[in-house]
Amino acid sequence: MSQKMRKKLRRAERQVERMGARVFQSTRAEQAAHQTLILEHWAKFWDGKKTIENRDRFRARYHEHLSRAMQMGGLQLITLWAGDRFLGGTANLIDQEQAVLHSIVEGRDDDAGMDIGIVLNAEVVSRAAQMKLNWIDLGHGNHDYKYRLGAQDRAVSYLVLRRRSRSISEQLDPAMVPMAIEATKRFIRARKHEKARAAIGQLRGFIKI
């Protein structure tokens, strides 16, 4: 951390102390309710910055990821409270086998008048060290906040698999048809005509019109 960031962190920690706020790790019994709070505050931050459709779609996707992590027993929720007031929280997936913490989503009360993000992130780093984890994965993207606690870029690769067969029946898993229909609707609404036509072509083999 730079000297400037250390000062910001100390200032935020003093604000937390003056407010009588405390950082907690949610228990298994609290996780369902607390992940809802995190996602509500995440959605509030993005209200007006994303289309309603995109915001709700990402929120549903995060909810699915967090619910799966909770079922697997790998969900970690770090939350900040001032009495009964929820100030913010961060949701992470702990991969004990690979000794990695994957940061998933954060939500905070932007009316609190303090840098909640740096307090939460510092707590996550501290707990990861206590758990003897090797890495904290902040996900793709190079947003400024990711570098505040000393993060470094790491190159990643993507594997793309393409089917050689042109058979429609082999290009789409029938179990994915409902999701494919929703994606097609988004293409149509966004006037992405070529993508919509390609999607309809794949769906034609599964849907009787």
mmCIF file of all heavy atoms in Angstrom, residues 136-184:
data_model
loop_
_atom_site.group_PDB
_atom_site.id
_atom_site.type_symbol
_atom_site.label_atom_id
_atom_site.label_comp_id
_atom_site.label_asym_id
_atom_site.label_seq_id
_atom_site.Cartn_x
_atom_site.Cartn_y
_atom_site.Cartn_z
ATOM 1 N N ILE A 136 -5.877 -13.484 -3.711
ATOM 2 C CA ILE A 136 -7.197 -12.851 -3.706
ATOM 3 C C ILE A 136 -7.464 -12.435 -5.145
ATOM 4 O O ILE A 136 -6.733 -11.617 -5.710
ATOM 5 C CB ILE A 136 -7.256 -11.623 -2.775
ATOM 6 C CG1 ILE A 136 -7.070 -12.067 -1.324
ATOM 7 C CG2 ILE A 136 -8.578 -10.889 -2.942
ATOM 8 C CD1 ILE A 136 -7.057 -10.916 -0.341
ATOM 9 N N ASP A 137 -8.486 -13.023 -5.721
ATOM 10 C CA ASP A 137 -8.838 -12.759 -7.115
ATOM 11 C C ASP A 137 -9.923 -11.690 -7.155
ATOM 12 O O ASP A 137 -11.046 -11.924 -6.693
ATOM 13 C CB ASP A 137 -9.326 -14.063 -7.757
ATOM 14 C CG ASP A 137 -9.870 -13.850 -9.160
ATOM 15 O OD1 ASP A 137 -9.560 -12.804 -9.764
ATOM 16 O OD2 ASP A 137 -10.607 -14.721 -9.646
ATOM 17 N N LEU A 138 -9.609 -10.524 -7.698
ATOM 18 C CA LEU A 138 -10.557 -9.413 -7.764
ATOM 19 C C LEU A 138 -11.332 -9.391 -9.079
ATOM 20 O O LEU A 138 -12.057 -8.441 -9.349
ATOM 21 C CB LEU A 138 -9.826 -8.076 -7.570
ATOM 22 C CG LEU A 138 -9.132 -7.911 -6.214
ATOM 23 C CD1 LEU A 138 -8.400 -6.583 -6.151
ATOM 24 C CD2 LEU A 138 -10.119 -8.016 -5.070
ATOM 25 N N GLY A 139 -11.171 -10.433 -9.881
ATOM 26 C CA GLY A 139 -11.950 -10.526 -11.115
ATOM 27 C C GLY A 139 -11.352 -9.704 -12.247
ATOM 28 O O GLY A 139 -10.349 -9.015 -12.095
ATOM 29 N N HIS A 140 -12.005 -9.795 -13.421
ATOM 30 C CA HIS A 140 -11.501 -9.077 -14.584
ATOM 31 C C HIS A 140 -11.782 -7.582 -14.450
ATOM 32 O O HIS A 140 -12.632 -7.161 -13.681
ATOM 33 C CB HIS A 140 -12.146 -9.622 -15.865
ATOM 34 C CG HIS A 140 -13.596 -9.301 -15.980
ATOM 35 N ND1 HIS A 140 -14.572 -10.048 -15.359
ATOM 36 C CD2 HIS A 140 -14.240 -8.297 -16.622
ATOM 37 C CE1 HIS A 140 -15.747 -9.525 -15.622
ATOM 38 N NE2 HIS A 140 -15.586 -8.467 -16.374
ATOM 39 N N GLY A 141 -11.067 -6.799 -15.217
ATOM 40 C CA GLY A 141 -11.264 -5.343 -15.163
ATOM 41 C C GLY A 141 -10.154 -4.660 -14.377
ATOM 42 O O GLY A 141 -9.520 -5.270 -13.508
ATOM 43 N N ASN A 142 -9.931 -3.375 -14.683
ATOM 44 C CA ASN A 142 -8.837 -2.644 -14.020
ATOM 45 C C ASN A 142 -9.342 -1.371 -13.343
ATOM 46 O O ASN A 142 -8.749 -0.307 -13.452
ATOM 47 C CB ASN A 142 -7.743 -2.297 -15.038
ATOM 48 C CG ASN A 142 -8.272 -1.447 -16.194
ATOM 49 O OD1 ASN A 142 -9.474 -1.265 -16.344
ATOM 50 N ND2 ASN A 142 -7.377 -0.916 -17.001
ATOM 51 N N HIS A 143 -10.449 -1.508 -12.611
ATOM 52 C CA HIS A 143 -10.990 -0.369 -11.881
ATOM 53 C C HIS A 143 -9.996 0.091 -10.804
ATOM 54 O O HIS A 143 -9.305 -0.730 -10.187
ATOM 55 C CB HIS A 143 -12.326 -0.730 -11.242
ATOM 56 C CG HIS A 143 -13.339 -1.230 -12.232
ATOM 57 N ND1 HIS A 143 -13.935 -0.400 -13.148
ATOM 58 C CD2 HIS A 143 -13.839 -2.465 -12.463
ATOM 59 C CE1 HIS A 143 -14.766 -1.104 -13.899
ATOM 60 N NE2 HIS A 143 -14.727 -2.358 -13.507
ATOM 61 N N ASP A 144 -9.972 1.389 -10.571
ATOM 62 C CA ASP A 144 -8.975 1.962 -9.657
ATOM 63 C C ASP A 144 -9.000 1.343 -8.266
ATOM 64 O O ASP A 144 -7.944 1.127 -7.651
ATOM 65 C CB ASP A 144 -9.192 3.480 -9.537
ATOM 66 C CG ASP A 144 -8.818 4.222 -10.812
ATOM 67 O OD1 ASP A 144 -8.097 3.622 -11.649
ATOM 68 O OD2 ASP A 144 -9.241 5.380 -10.978
ATOM 69 N N TYR A 145 -10.218 1.053 -7.749
ATOM 70 C CA TYR A 145 -10.301 0.579 -6.368
ATOM 71 C C TYR A 145 -9.544 -0.740 -6.154
ATOM 72 O O TYR A 145 -9.125 -1.050 -5.034
ATOM 73 C CB TYR A 145 -11.771 0.406 -5.952
ATOM 74 C CG TYR A 145 -12.427 -0.853 -6.474
ATOM 75 C CD1 TYR A 145 -12.392 -2.041 -5.728
ATOM 76 C CD2 TYR A 145 -13.076 -0.876 -7.701
ATOM 77 C CE1 TYR A 145 -12.982 -3.195 -6.199
ATOM 78 C CE2 TYR A 145 -13.670 -2.022 -8.181
ATOM 79 C CZ TYR A 145 -13.636 -3.177 -7.426
ATOM 80 O OH TYR A 145 -14.215 -4.317 -7.906
ATOM 81 N N LYS A 146 -9.345 -1.507 -7.218
ATOM 82 C CA LYS A 146 -8.691 -2.803 -7.075
ATOM 83 C C LYS A 146 -7.208 -2.682 -6.734
ATOM 84 O O LYS A 146 -6.603 -3.625 -6.227
ATOM 85 C CB LYS A 146 -8.855 -3.621 -8.361
ATOM 86 C CG LYS A 146 -10.305 -3.993 -8.651
ATOM 87 C CD LYS A 146 -10.413 -4.897 -9.853
ATOM 88 C CE LYS A 146 -11.860 -5.305 -10.091
ATOM 89 N NZ LYS A 146 -11.987 -6.249 -11.214
ATOM 90 N N TYR A 147 -6.637 -1.522 -7.006
ATOM 91 C CA TYR A 147 -5.203 -1.351 -6.792
ATOM 92 C C TYR A 147 -4.881 -0.671 -5.454
ATOM 93 O O TYR A 147 -3.723 -0.508 -5.119
ATOM 94 C CB TYR A 147 -4.601 -0.530 -7.932
ATOM 95 C CG TYR A 147 -4.773 -1.180 -9.291
ATOM 96 C CD1 TYR A 147 -5.834 -0.838 -10.111
ATOM 97 C CD2 TYR A 147 -3.888 -2.157 -9.731
ATOM 98 C CE1 TYR A 147 -6.007 -1.441 -11.347
ATOM 99 C CE2 TYR A 147 -4.047 -2.772 -10.968
ATOM 100 C CZ TYR A 147 -5.108 -2.408 -11.770
ATOM 101 O OH TYR A 147 -5.278 -3.014 -12.984
ATOM 102 N N ARG A 148 -5.918 -0.309 -4.705
ATOM 103 C CA ARG A 148 -5.669 0.490 -3.501
ATOM 104 C C ARG A 148 -4.890 -0.264 -2.427
ATOM 105 O O ARG A 148 -4.149 0.331 -1.657
ATOM 106 C CB ARG A 148 -7.001 0.991 -2.924
ATOM 107 C CG ARG A 148 -7.756 1.870 -3.893
ATOM 108 C CD ARG A 148 -8.753 2.752 -3.198
ATOM 109 N NE ARG A 148 -9.776 2.004 -2.487
ATOM 110 C CZ ARG A 148 -10.733 2.585 -1.771
ATOM 111 N NH1 ARG A 148 -10.781 3.907 -1.664
ATOM 112 N NH2 ARG A 148 -11.647 1.869 -1.154
ATOM 113 N N LEU A 149 -5.086 -1.575 -2.359
ATOM 114 C CA LEU A 149 -4.405 -2.353 -1.333
ATOM 115 C C LEU A 149 -3.230 -3.138 -1.889
ATOM 116 O O LEU A 149 -2.775 -4.108 -1.290
ATOM 117 C CB LEU A 149 -5.394 -3.292 -0.642
ATOM 118 C CG LEU A 149 -6.562 -2.604 0.081
ATOM 119 C CD1 LEU A 149 -7.445 -3.629 0.759
ATOM 120 C CD2 LEU A 149 -6.042 -1.601 1.099
ATOM 121 N N GLY A 150 -2.739 -2.712 -3.053
ATOM 122 C CA GLY A 150 -1.520 -3.307 -3.586
ATOM 123 C C GLY A 150 -1.718 -4.414 -4.601
ATOM 124 O O GLY A 150 -0.778 -5.167 -4.882
ATOM 125 N N ALA A 151 -2.914 -4.540 -5.187
ATOM 126 C CA ALA A 151 -3.159 -5.588 -6.187
ATOM 127 C C ALA A 151 -2.314 -5.365 -7.433
ATOM 128 O O ALA A 151 -1.949 -4.231 -7.766
ATOM 129 C CB ALA A 151 -4.635 -5.606 -6.567
ATOM 130 N N GLN A 152 -1.994 -6.457 -8.113
ATOM 131 C CA GLN A 152 -1.222 -6.401 -9.351
ATOM 132 C C GLN A 152 -1.976 -7.141 -10.450
ATOM 133 O O GLN A 152 -2.725 -8.080 -10.179
ATOM 134 C CB GLN A 152 0.160 -7.035 -9.158
ATOM 135 C CG GLN A 152 1.032 -6.290 -8.154
ATOM 136 C CD GLN A 152 2.379 -6.948 -7.981
ATOM 137 O OE1 GLN A 152 2.617 -8.053 -8.473
ATOM 138 N NE2 GLN A 152 3.282 -6.273 -7.273
ATOM 139 N N ASP A 153 -1.750 -6.693 -11.691
ATOM 140 C CA ASP A 153 -2.394 -7.347 -12.829
ATOM 141 C C ASP A 153 -1.821 -8.748 -13.034
ATOM 142 O O ASP A 153 -0.638 -9.000 -12.787
ATOM 143 C CB ASP A 153 -2.169 -6.542 -14.117
ATOM 144 C CG ASP A 153 -2.913 -5.212 -14.092
ATOM 145 O OD1 ASP A 153 -3.929 -5.126 -13.382
ATOM 146 O OD2 ASP A 153 -2.473 -4.283 -14.783
ATOM 147 N N ARG A 154 -2.694 -9.623 -13.499
ATOM 148 C CA ARG A 154 -2.261 -10.979 -13.831
ATOM 149 C C ARG A 154 -2.954 -11.379 -15.133
ATOM 150 O O ARG A 154 -4.182 -11.301 -15.232
ATOM 151 C CB ARG A 154 -2.640 -11.951 -12.718
ATOM 152 C CG ARG A 154 -2.092 -13.354 -12.936
ATOM 153 C CD ARG A 154 -2.499 -14.283 -11.806
ATOM 154 N NE ARG A 154 -1.869 -15.586 -11.938
ATOM 155 C CZ ARG A 154 -2.180 -16.635 -11.186
ATOM 156 N NH1 ARG A 154 -3.101 -16.518 -10.252
ATOM 157 N NH2 ARG A 154 -1.567 -17.781 -11.366
ATOM 158 N N ALA A 155 -2.172 -11.782 -16.114
ATOM 159 C CA ALA A 155 -2.741 -12.169 -17.407
ATOM 160 C C ALA A 155 -3.490 -13.489 -17.273
ATOM 161 O O ALA A 155 -3.032 -14.410 -16.590
ATOM 162 C CB ALA A 155 -1.636 -12.300 -18.442
ATOM 163 N N VAL A 156 -4.641 -13.578 -17.907
ATOM 164 C CA VAL A 156 -5.423 -14.811 -17.905
ATOM 165 C C VAL A 156 -5.741 -15.186 -19.352
ATOM 166 O O VAL A 156 -5.717 -14.335 -20.247
ATOM 167 C CB VAL A 156 -6.737 -14.670 -17.107
ATOM 168 C CG1 VAL A 156 -6.441 -14.425 -15.644
ATOM 169 C CG2 VAL A 156 -7.600 -13.547 -17.674
ATOM 170 N N SER A 157 -6.012 -16.446 -19.568
ATOM 171 C CA SER A 157 -6.326 -16.928 -20.909
ATOM 172 C C SER A 157 -7.751 -17.447 -20.942
ATOM 173 O O SER A 157 -8.305 -17.864 -19.927
ATOM 174 C CB SER A 157 -5.372 -18.062 -21.309
ATOM 175 O OG SER A 157 -4.041 -17.602 -21.300
ATOM 176 N N TYR A 158 -8.347 -17.398 -22.125
ATOM 177 C CA TYR A 158 -9.695 -17.905 -22.320
ATOM 178 C C TYR A 158 -9.648 -19.045 -23.319
ATOM 179 O O TYR A 158 -8.948 -18.979 -24.328
ATOM 180 C CB TYR A 158 -10.615 -16.799 -22.854
ATOM 181 C CG TYR A 158 -10.910 -15.718 -21.854
ATOM 182 C CD1 TYR A 158 -10.044 -14.633 -21.701
ATOM 183 C CD2 TYR A 158 -12.034 -15.783 -21.044
ATOM 184 C CE1 TYR A 158 -10.304 -13.639 -20.777
ATOM 185 C CE2 TYR A 158 -12.299 -14.800 -20.114
ATOM 186 C CZ TYR A 158 -11.438 -13.729 -19.981
ATOM 187 O OH TYR A 158 -11.685 -12.752 -19.065
ATOM 188 N N LEU A 159 -10.380 -20.103 -23.022
ATOM 189 C CA LEU A 159 -10.472 -21.246 -23.923
ATOM 190 C C LEU A 159 -11.817 -21.208 -24.629
ATOM 191 O O LEU A 159 -12.866 -21.150 -23.973
ATOM 192 C CB LEU A 159 -10.341 -22.552 -23.132
ATOM 193 C CG LEU A 159 -10.517 -23.850 -23.930
ATOM 194 C CD1 LEU A 159 -9.391 -23.997 -24.950
ATOM 195 C CD2 LEU A 159 -10.547 -25.049 -22.987
ATOM 196 N N VAL A 160 -11.795 -21.199 -25.947
ATOM 197 C CA VAL A 160 -13.018 -21.174 -26.745
ATOM 198 C C VAL A 160 -13.157 -22.493 -27.479
ATOM 199 O O VAL A 160 -12.228 -22.935 -28.175
ATOM 200 C CB VAL A 160 -12.993 -20.014 -27.772
ATOM 201 C CG1 VAL A 160 -14.272 -20.026 -28.611
ATOM 202 C CG2 VAL A 160 -12.845 -18.675 -27.061
ATOM 203 N N LEU A 161 -14.304 -23.154 -27.311
ATOM 204 C CA LEU A 161 -14.587 -24.409 -27.990
ATOM 205 C C LEU A 161 -15.668 -24.170 -29.038
ATOM 206 O O LEU A 161 -16.713 -23.610 -28.728
ATOM 207 C CB LEU A 161 -15.072 -25.474 -26.998
ATOM 208 C CG LEU A 161 -14.119 -25.801 -25.835
ATOM 209 C CD1 LEU A 161 -14.744 -26.841 -24.925
ATOM 210 C CD2 LEU A 161 -12.790 -26.310 -26.368
ATOM 211 N N ARG A 162 -15.433 -24.588 -30.247
ATOM 212 C CA ARG A 162 -16.411 -24.440 -31.323
ATOM 213 C C ARG A 162 -16.729 -25.816 -31.905
ATOM 214 O O ARG A 162 -15.830 -26.612 -32.169
ATOM 215 C CB ARG A 162 -15.871 -23.522 -32.421
ATOM 216 C CG ARG A 162 -15.560 -22.107 -31.945
ATOM 217 C CD ARG A 162 -15.233 -21.203 -33.125
ATOM 218 N NE ARG A 162 -14.846 -19.887 -32.675
ATOM 219 C CZ ARG A 162 -15.699 -18.920 -32.348
ATOM 220 N NH1 ARG A 162 -17.008 -19.146 -32.423
ATOM 221 N NH2 ARG A 162 -15.269 -17.739 -31.954
ATOM 222 N N ARG A 163 -18.000 -26.058 -32.116
ATOM 223 C CA ARG A 163 -18.437 -27.325 -32.706
ATOM 224 C C ARG A 163 -18.171 -27.323 -34.215
ATOM 225 O O ARG A 163 -18.408 -26.324 -34.885
ATOM 226 C CB ARG A 163 -19.926 -27.537 -32.457
ATOM 227 C CG ARG A 163 -20.299 -27.690 -31.001
ATOM 228 C CD ARG A 163 -21.790 -27.963 -30.885
ATOM 229 N NE ARG A 163 -22.237 -27.983 -29.505
ATOM 230 C CZ ARG A 163 -22.224 -29.068 -28.729
ATOM 231 N NH1 ARG A 163 -21.775 -30.208 -29.219
ATOM 232 N NH2 ARG A 163 -22.657 -29.007 -27.483
ATOM 233 N N ARG A 164 -17.720 -28.451 -34.733
ATOM 234 C CA ARG A 164 -17.532 -28.578 -36.169
ATOM 235 C C ARG A 164 -18.860 -28.912 -36.861
ATOM 236 O O ARG A 164 -19.079 -28.551 -38.013
ATOM 237 C CB ARG A 164 -16.518 -29.673 -36.472
ATOM 238 C CG ARG A 164 -15.110 -29.319 -36.018
ATOM 239 C CD ARG A 164 -14.138 -30.432 -36.350
ATOM 240 N NE ARG A 164 -12.775 -30.094 -35.931
ATOM 241 C CZ ARG A 164 -11.728 -30.903 -36.066
ATOM 242 N NH1 ARG A 164 -11.898 -32.106 -36.599
ATOM 243 N NH2 ARG A 164 -10.534 -30.526 -35.662
ATOM 244 N N SER A 165 -19.724 -29.605 -36.141
ATOM 245 C CA SER A 165 -20.986 -30.024 -36.737
ATOM 246 C C SER A 165 -21.896 -28.827 -36.983
ATOM 247 O O SER A 165 -21.961 -27.896 -36.179
ATOM 248 C CB SER A 165 -21.704 -31.018 -35.811
ATOM 249 O OG SER A 165 -22.999 -31.282 -36.293
ATOM 250 N N ARG A 166 -22.606 -28.854 -38.089
ATOM 251 C CA ARG A 166 -23.572 -27.798 -38.395
ATOM 252 C C ARG A 166 -24.993 -28.226 -38.033
ATOM 253 O O ARG A 166 -25.946 -27.511 -38.311
ATOM 254 C CB ARG A 166 -23.500 -27.425 -39.878
ATOM 255 C CG ARG A 166 -22.192 -26.755 -40.264
ATOM 256 C CD ARG A 166 -22.210 -26.275 -41.700
ATOM 257 N NE ARG A 166 -21.001 -25.545 -42.019
ATOM 258 C CZ ARG A 166 -20.833 -24.244 -41.795
ATOM 259 N NH1 ARG A 166 -21.803 -23.556 -41.233
ATOM 260 N NH2 ARG A 166 -19.705 -23.645 -42.115
ATOM 261 N N SER A 167 -25.118 -29.389 -37.435
ATOM 262 C CA SER A 167 -26.436 -29.868 -37.042
ATOM 263 C C SER A 167 -26.996 -28.997 -35.931
ATOM 264 O O SER A 167 -26.360 -28.788 -34.894
ATOM 265 C CB SER A 167 -26.352 -31.316 -36.561
ATOM 266 O OG SER A 167 -27.567 -31.718 -35.965
ATOM 267 N N ILE A 168 -28.214 -28.467 -36.136
ATOM 268 C CA ILE A 168 -28.831 -27.606 -35.131
ATOM 269 C C ILE A 168 -28.985 -28.334 -33.808
ATOM 270 O O ILE A 168 -28.763 -27.775 -32.735
ATOM 271 C CB ILE A 168 -30.217 -27.116 -35.632
ATOM 272 C CG1 ILE A 168 -30.043 -26.199 -36.841
ATOM 273 C CG2 ILE A 168 -30.962 -26.379 -34.522
ATOM 274 C CD1 ILE A 168 -29.288 -24.921 -36.552
ATOM 275 N N SER A 169 -29.339 -29.618 -33.880
ATOM 276 C CA SER A 169 -29.589 -30.372 -32.653
ATOM 277 C C SER A 169 -28.338 -30.519 -31.803
ATOM 278 O O SER A 169 -28.414 -30.776 -30.611
ATOM 279 C CB SER A 169 -30.142 -31.754 -32.986
ATOM 280 O OG SER A 169 -29.191 -32.505 -33.724
ATOM 281 N N GLU A 170 -27.152 -30.369 -32.412
ATOM 282 C CA GLU A 170 -25.908 -30.530 -31.662
ATOM 283 C C GLU A 170 -25.293 -29.195 -31.248
ATOM 284 O O GLU A 170 -24.237 -29.156 -30.636
ATOM 285 C CB GLU A 170 -24.902 -31.321 -32.505
ATOM 286 C CG GLU A 170 -25.330 -32.753 -32.779
ATOM 287 C CD GLU A 170 -24.307 -33.511 -33.600
ATOM 288 O OE1 GLU A 170 -23.214 -32.950 -33.835
ATOM 289 O OE2 GLU A 170 -24.597 -34.647 -33.995
ATOM 290 N N GLN A 171 -25.954 -28.107 -31.578
ATOM 291 C CA GLN A 171 -25.381 -26.791 -31.277
ATOM 292 C C GLN A 171 -25.935 -26.169 -30.002
ATOM 293 O O GLN A 171 -25.422 -25.184 -29.525
ATOM 294 C CB GLN A 171 -25.626 -25.840 -32.449
ATOM 295 C CG GLN A 171 -24.825 -26.204 -33.692
ATOM 296 C CD GLN A 171 -25.072 -25.252 -34.835
ATOM 297 O OE1 GLN A 171 -25.638 -24.182 -34.635
ATOM 298 N NE2 GLN A 171 -24.652 -25.625 -36.027
ATOM 299 N N LEU A 172 -26.994 -26.737 -29.474
ATOM 300 C CA LEU A 172 -27.612 -26.139 -28.294
ATOM 301 C C LEU A 172 -28.132 -27.236 -27.381
ATOM 302 O O LEU A 172 -28.892 -28.110 -27.814
ATOM 303 C CB LEU A 172 -28.769 -25.216 -28.720
ATOM 304 C CG LEU A 172 -29.527 -24.496 -27.600
ATOM 305 C CD1 LEU A 172 -28.599 -23.529 -26.871
ATOM 306 C CD2 LEU A 172 -30.720 -23.742 -28.170
ATOM 307 N N ASP A 173 -27.717 -27.204 -26.132
ATOM 308 C CA ASP A 173 -28.211 -28.154 -25.140
ATOM 309 C C ASP A 173 -29.678 -27.840 -24.863
ATOM 310 O O ASP A 173 -30.014 -26.701 -24.515
ATOM 311 C CB ASP A 173 -27.382 -28.007 -23.861
ATOM 312 C CG ASP A 173 -27.761 -29.015 -22.794
ATOM 313 O OD1 ASP A 173 -28.857 -29.596 -22.874
ATOM 314 O OD2 ASP A 173 -26.959 -29.224 -21.870
ATOM 315 N N PRO A 174 -30.579 -28.804 -25.009
ATOM 316 C CA PRO A 174 -32.007 -28.539 -24.766
ATOM 317 C C PRO A 174 -32.281 -27.911 -23.405
ATOM 318 O O PRO A 174 -33.225 -27.127 -23.263
ATOM 319 C CB PRO A 174 -32.638 -29.932 -24.884
ATOM 320 C CG PRO A 174 -31.719 -30.685 -25.777
ATOM 321 C CD PRO A 174 -30.335 -30.185 -25.458
ATOM 322 N N ALA A 175 -31.454 -28.232 -22.419
ATOM 323 C CA ALA A 175 -31.666 -27.666 -21.079
ATOM 324 C C ALA A 175 -31.452 -26.160 -21.059
ATOM 325 O O ALA A 175 -31.913 -25.469 -20.135
ATOM 326 C CB ALA A 175 -30.731 -28.339 -20.080
ATOM 327 N N MET A 176 -30.742 -25.641 -22.075
ATOM 328 C CA MET A 176 -30.433 -24.211 -22.115
ATOM 329 C C MET A 176 -31.456 -23.409 -22.923
ATOM 330 O O MET A 176 -31.308 -22.203 -23.086
ATOM 331 C CB MET A 176 -29.042 -23.999 -22.720
ATOM 332 C CG MET A 176 -27.934 -24.723 -21.990
ATOM 333 S SD MET A 176 -27.764 -24.180 -20.280
ATOM 334 C CE MET A 176 -27.143 -22.520 -20.534
ATOM 335 N N VAL A 177 -32.484 -24.079 -23.442
ATOM 336 C CA VAL A 177 -33.460 -23.388 -24.296
ATOM 337 C C VAL A 177 -34.123 -22.192 -23.604
ATOM 338 O O VAL A 177 -34.217 -21.108 -24.198
ATOM 339 C CB VAL A 177 -34.511 -24.388 -24.832
ATOM 340 C CG1 VAL A 177 -35.694 -23.643 -25.465
ATOM 341 C CG2 VAL A 177 -33.873 -25.307 -25.871
ATOM 342 N N PRO A 178 -34.597 -22.319 -22.350
ATOM 343 C CA PRO A 178 -35.219 -21.140 -21.710
ATOM 344 C C PRO A 178 -34.282 -19.931 -21.649
ATOM 345 O O PRO A 178 -34.702 -18.804 -21.906
ATOM 346 C CB PRO A 178 -35.576 -21.649 -20.308
ATOM 347 C CG PRO A 178 -35.733 -23.122 -20.475
ATOM 348 C CD PRO A 178 -34.693 -23.520 -21.489
ATOM 349 N N MET A 179 -33.003 -20.164 -21.322
ATOM 350 C CA MET A 179 -32.039 -19.056 -21.274
ATOM 351 C C MET A 179 -31.786 -18.504 -22.671
ATOM 352 O O MET A 179 -31.624 -17.296 -22.844
ATOM 353 C CB MET A 179 -30.726 -19.532 -20.647
ATOM 354 C CG MET A 179 -30.837 -19.909 -19.180
ATOM 355 S SD MET A 179 -29.279 -20.485 -18.481
ATOM 356 C CE MET A 179 -28.289 -18.998 -18.602
ATOM 357 N N ALA A 180 -31.775 -19.407 -23.676
ATOM 358 C CA ALA A 180 -31.549 -18.964 -25.049
ATOM 359 C C ALA A 180 -32.712 -18.082 -25.537
ATOM 360 O O ALA A 180 -32.502 -17.104 -26.253
ATOM 361 C CB ALA A 180 -31.388 -20.171 -25.966
ATOM 362 N N ILE A 181 -33.919 -18.424 -25.125
ATOM 363 C CA ILE A 181 -35.087 -17.611 -25.499
ATOM 364 C C ILE A 181 -34.970 -16.210 -24.909
ATOM 365 O O ILE A 181 -35.224 -15.199 -25.583
ATOM 366 C CB ILE A 181 -36.388 -18.293 -25.038
ATOM 367 C CG1 ILE A 181 -36.630 -19.570 -25.856
ATOM 368 C CG2 ILE A 181 -37.575 -17.346 -25.182
ATOM 369 C CD1 ILE A 181 -37.794 -20.412 -25.375
ATOM 370 N N GLU A 182 -34.566 -16.134 -23.636
ATOM 371 C CA GLU A 182 -34.408 -14.821 -22.997
ATOM 372 C C GLU A 182 -33.316 -14.012 -23.684
ATOM 373 O O GLU A 182 -33.445 -12.796 -23.879
ATOM 374 C CB GLU A 182 -34.093 -14.992 -21.503
ATOM 375 C CG GLU A 182 -35.246 -15.539 -20.682
ATOM 376 C CD GLU A 182 -36.485 -14.669 -20.794
ATOM 377 O OE1 GLU A 182 -36.351 -13.423 -20.694
ATOM 378 O OE2 GLU A 182 -37.578 -15.212 -20.997
ATOM 379 N N ALA A 183 -32.220 -14.676 -24.052
ATOM 380 C CA ALA A 183 -31.137 -13.979 -24.755
ATOM 381 C C ALA A 183 -31.619 -13.462 -26.108
ATOM 382 O O ALA A 183 -31.289 -12.341 -26.513
ATOM 383 C CB ALA A 183 -29.949 -14.919 -24.948
ATOM 384 N N THR A 184 -32.430 -14.264 -26.798
ATOM 385 C CA THR A 184 -32.970 -13.848 -28.095
ATOM 386 C C THR A 184 -33.861 -12.618 -27.945
ATOM 387 O O THR A 184 -33.795 -11.683 -28.766
ATOM 388 C CB THR A 184 -33.772 -15.004 -28.728
ATOM 389 O OG1 THR A 184 -32.936 -16.155 -28.817
ATOM 390 C CG2 THR A 184 -34.258 -14.632 -30.123
#
